[in-house]
Structures are given as C-alpha cells and as structure tokens.
Amino acid sequence: QGAYPTSGWLPGEVISDTYTIPLPTDLASGTYQLAVGLYDPSTVTRLPVRENGKPNSEKRILLHRDIIYES
C-alpha cells in the first residue's frame, strides 16, 4: 500500500502491492495491454527501468499478457 519506499528495497527482493484500476463505464470491448513504471513523487518524472538487464528507453515494463475486456 505504498508504505515501503523503493529506497529500502534490496536487490532481488520481490515486492507485492495490489492496486485496483477503475475502468471507464464506456470502455469498448477489446484486447488491452498494461504497462507499469515508477516515478519520483517530488518531480513526477519516471524513473529509469531495466528489463532483462538492459535499459528500457520508455521507462516502463509492458506486462506480457493481453487483457481481454468484454462489455
């Protein structure tokens, strides 16, 4: 619930945090993708991200699972 800042994380540590993502009531049926990232709350800028050991220029990780929504 946001109570464990990244400054306290250890390399290789798994952090689990659950969020509810509200969807618009008029969201069209379809296949969607979800990306996640972190940001600095003092500057509201995205933090650098590494994916498979390499820098990710988009500063986000795309979850490798399609989300199918049917209205």
Side-chain angles (χ1 to χ4, degrees):
Q1 307 240 315
Y4 187 23
T6 57
S7 58
W9 295 3
L10 300 173
E13 184 176 14
V14 174
I15 309 298
S16 178
D17 208 355
T18 302
Y19 290 87
T20 299
I21 302 171
L23 301 176
T25 56
D26 60 347
L27 182 66
S29 295
T31 301
Y32 295 87
Q33 295 180 324
L34 180 64
V36 295
L38 299 172
Y39 68 94
D40 181 333
S42 63
T43 62
V44 195
T45 57
R46 286 189 187 206
L47 297 174
V49 177
R50 296 180 71 82
E51 188 172 14
N52 298 321
K54 298 179 182 176
N56 179 313
S57 62
E58 295 182 18
K59 297 182 180 178
R60 65 185 178 114
I61 301 293
L62 182 63
L63 300 182
H64 298 283
R65 185 176 189 184
D66 289 338
I67 299 168
I68 300 172
Y69 175 77
E70 295 178 8
S71 56

